[in-house]
Amino acid sequence: MASTPRRSKPAPAAPKKALKAAPAPAAAPKKPVAAPKVVAARKAAPPAPPPVVAAPAPAPVVADGEHRVERDSMGEVRVPAQRMWGAQTQRAVENFRVSGRTMPSRFLVALAHIKAASAQANEDLGLLDPKLAAAIRAAADEVVCGKHDAEFPIDVFQTGSGTSSNMNMNEVLSNLANRMLGGAVGSKKPVHPNDHVNMGQSSNDVIPTALHVAVATAARERLLPALAKLAAALHEKAKAFDDVVKVGRTHLQDATPVRMGQVFGGYAAQVAHGAQRVALAWDHLLEVALGGTAVGTGIGRDPQFHGKAIERLSARTGLALRRARNPFEALAGREACVFFAGALASAAAALTKVANDVRFLGSGPRCGYGELKLPELQPGSSIMPGKVNPVMSESLIMACLLVQGANTTVAAAGGAGNFELNVTLPLLAMVLLDAVETLAGAVEGFTERCVRGLEVDRARVTSMVEQSLMLATALAPKIGYDAAAAMAKEAYKAGTTIRALAEQKKVLPPDELAATLDLRHMTEPGRGGLAAGG
């Protein structure tokens, strides 16, 4: 599961005045008024039966000390007496005993924000009593602050629309609001979970909106800042290491020299470009489905509801949310999530490469590449004394592998809609939030506990670059490709360096040879000859 995020500060609580109990409804007459007699033309008709008067909904009955009995459209349900959820949540708890993984905290926070914003929008439109709306908002703010995390027990692997989680939130907010207003838990009075908390909404537009808001918030608060810090830290190392000339490597074989600063500058650019792609895909998450209700038509809501609700939701979350350009696409398709997962995978590919390079360049300390000195963080073996491993690189690589798997899952889930609705929404929420939070945490650790402490073993680097046979590349424009290749082979067999062999053979005057084999010059355009190759 993704780590629990820091809760955002709730909107100001509703004035206490607004939370006074609503006046009790007038009592129904004890006896129904009899219908007037109908006189037939020839003989009196039999007495008319008394009119049917609907009995008031019974209050929840406490079945025992541990449970109360609630009713929904399917009948009676026993609900734990101390819980704030209701009958539909309890049914889902009993139906979906699957993984033990509940909906991510960020998702629940986003859902609570949607309910508060919707209550405000409906109040603004004159559709919801201000006292009820204020109570719903106050209850939602308590959920946002994490006061009621235990009230959301439904497994991720539930109904694919997330209806169970939507009703879980509706029931919890209804009961919290009713308790504030002096009502009984489970009574659905004066705040009803469907009629008031869910007013103008459907699970089919609310859950996709919560999905987008939650993932966008996680990326904005954690992942994008983490990537920016890593790119900056790598850039700082690029400047610090720019005077170090090392062996370049292609195909895992020696290549022409390159500066360590150039290498780290490449790493910084890879991470920065990955962050830019994530940001581009992130913007697509800001388009939300709220207002489409059941199938995209907007049935059951005021024509102005979605505009007002999205405006209120933007204010609560700090996200520049916007209405879906096409509400039918916003319910039936999840391509924005697929695009975002692909951007995460792109960033993960870059991070995997950087983490692998760092651990290989730091391998050793005596029998590996040994060009980098990695921070020593913890013992690396339970049997080999003194061993230290590149643990932060390995941590990041594993997080990147998880992201690649998430990309595969999201791509498959994104195509799993049928007709007017995608039915993998809880899975998408879990997988995307897990990927974002895990990658952010691994990047933060790699930056602070590895990159910032990296050092170069300058003696080792200098020794290795002088041994490189690819210095012959700089001689090719002077003596020809074939002659330079022959010198490389001869130096390799003799166990000597290109510089020593060239001096011995006097292939160039000493000053010209020194200038030609100047290592720094070989790392700049136009130096070391005009020929190029791989």
Side-chain angles (χ1 to χ4, degrees):
M1 285 291 297
S3 59
T4 302
R6 181 175 298 168
R7 303 284 193 173
S8 58
K9 187 175 180 182
K16 291 184 180 177
K17 217 171 191 182
L19 301 183
K20 287 185 180 177
K30 293 182 180 178
K31 293 183 180 179
V33 179
K37 290 185 178 180
V38 178
V39 180
R42 298 197 175 181
K43 66 177 183 176
V52 177
V53 178
V61 178
V62 177
D64 52 45
E66 297 182 355
H67 297 85
R68 67 179 184 269
V69 175
E70 289 202 22
R71 295 167 180 82
D72 62 10
S73 61
M74 298 183 71
E76 293 186 349
V77 182
R78 286 162 54 87
V79 179
Q82 301 306 313
R83 299 269 61 106
M84 289 294 106
W85 67 70
Q88 291 199 42
T89 300
Q90 187 62 35
R91 290 188 191 278
V93 169
E94 294 169 3
N95 287 337
F96 305 117
R97 303 179 188 273
V98 183
S99 69
R101 286 174 284 186
T102 55
M103 294 302 292
S105 180
R106 280 195 189 272
F107 175 85
L108 297 173
V109 168
L111 190 52
H113 278 310
I114 292 168
K115 297 300 176 179
S118 297
Q120 183 66 65
N122 283 317
E123 178 187 349
D124 293 344
L125 291 167
L127 303 173
L128 183 60
D129 186 306
K131 291 181 180 179
L132 306 190
I136 292 170
R137 290 196 301 274
D141 288 340
E142 289 190 358
V143 171
V144 168
C145 288
K147 291 184 178 180
H148 304 288
D149 288 353
E151 302 300 334
F152 302 94
I154 298 174
D155 201 279
V156 166
F157 296 93
Q158 53 169 287
T159 172
S161 62
T163 299
S164 295
S165 286
N166 186 40
M167 283 309 304
N168 186 182
M169 184 64 71
N170 290 337
E171 290 175 339
V172 169
L173 296 185
S174 169
N175 280 323
L176 290 174
N178 287 334
R179 190 168 64 177
M180 293 174 187
L181 295 171
V185 172
S187 67
K188 304 181 183 179
K189 292 181 179 180
V191 177
H192 193 282
N194 297 81
D195 297 339
H196 301 129
V197 182
N198 202 60
M199 180 183 287
Q201 308 152 58
S202 164
S203 300
N204 297 352
D205 64 341
V206 164
I207 297 299
T209 301
L211 165 61
H212 280 210
V213 169
V215 176
T217 301
R220 178 192 63 184
E221 293 181 356
R222 290 207 62 198
L223 182 58
L224 289 171
L227 292 172
K229 287 180 181 178
L230 175 56
L234 290 166
H235 183 67
E236 287 301 313
K237 291 298 177 182
K239 292 190 293 184
F241 299 159
D242 197 52
D243 63 319
V244 179
V245 179
K246 65 181 291 293
V247 175
R249 296 180 179 90
T250 60
H251 305 275
L252 300 180
Q253 304 296 307
D254 299 348
T256 54
V258 63
R259 298 198 300 276
M260 188 72 83
Q262 293 171 319
V263 171
F264 272 76
Y267 296 159
Q270 281 187 278
V271 175
H273 293 171
Q276 290 169 4
R277 295 182 190 103
V278 171
L280 176 64
W282 174 84
D283 182 70
H284 288 248
L285 296 176
L286 303 183
E287 187 172 312
V288 295
L290 191 62
T293 64
V295 296
T297 60
I299 189 173
R301 66 158 173 84
D302 185 278
Q304 299 180 61
F305 166 79
H306 59 316
K308 290 183 176 293
I310 292 172
E311 181 181 352
R312 294 289 185 175
L313 184 57
S314 295
R316 290 183 68 90
T317 61
L319 296 170
L321 302 171
R322 53 187 183 270
R323 305 182 206 177
R325 288 166 289 175
N326 186 296
F328 303 97
E329 180 272 342
L331 268 62
R334 296 269 59 84
E335 287 77 27
C337 292
V338 175
F339 183 27
F340 184 76
L344 291 182
S346 174
L351 292 166
T352 300
K353 196 271 183 184
V354 172
N356 262 326
D357 277 10
V358 166
R359 66 173 180 157
F360 277 118
L361 292 176
S363 62
R366 290 188 174 177
C367 302
Y369 291 109
E371 295 182 1
L372 292 177
K373 295 179 180 179
L374 276 57
E376 297 183 357
L377 301 177
Q378 63 188 58
S381 173
S382 62
I383 191 172
M384 293 177 280
K387 194 171 190 293
V388 179
N389 295 331
V391 293
M392 302 315 297
S393 285
E394 292 168 355
S395 171
L396 179 54
I397 289 167
M398 287 191 290
C400 291
L401 293 174
L402 182 141
V403 170
Q404 300 293 4
N407 182 39
T408 299
T409 299
V410 172
N418 304 107
F419 305 115
E420 279 67 59
L421 186 67
N422 181 282
V423 287
T424 63
L425 301 178
L427 175 64
L428 285 168
M430 181 191 74
V431 169
L432 282 171
L433 286 169
D434 190 31
V436 169
E437 299 278 8
T438 302
L439 188 61
V443 169
E444 290 165 356
F446 184 69
T447 302
E448 300 302 326
R449 304 192 66 78
C450 180
V451 173
R452 294 198 192 282
L454 286 175
E455 297 178 3
V456 174
D457 188 333
R458 292 173 179 266
R460 171 80 168 172
V461 169
T462 300
S463 172
M464 292 181 73
V465 73
E466 275 295 331
Q467 293 292 325
S468 174
L469 299 175
M470 293 303 101
L471 299 188
T473 305
L475 293 174
K478 304 286 186 178
I479 65 174
Y481 183 94
D482 292 338
M487 284 194 65
K489 293 179 180 179
E490 184 177 349
Y492 178 68
K493 290 179 181 178
T496 189
T497 67
I498 292 293
R499 190 185 303 274
L501 185 60
E503 290 173 348
Q504 177 186 334
K505 289 181 171 291
K506 297 182 171 43
V507 295
L508 293 173
D511 290 346
E512 186 177 357
L513 179 63
T516 301
L517 296 181
D518 182 286
L519 297 176
R520 174 82 185 198
H521 286 178
M522 292 186 199
T523 67
E524 298 171 356
R527 302 288 186 166
L530 301 176

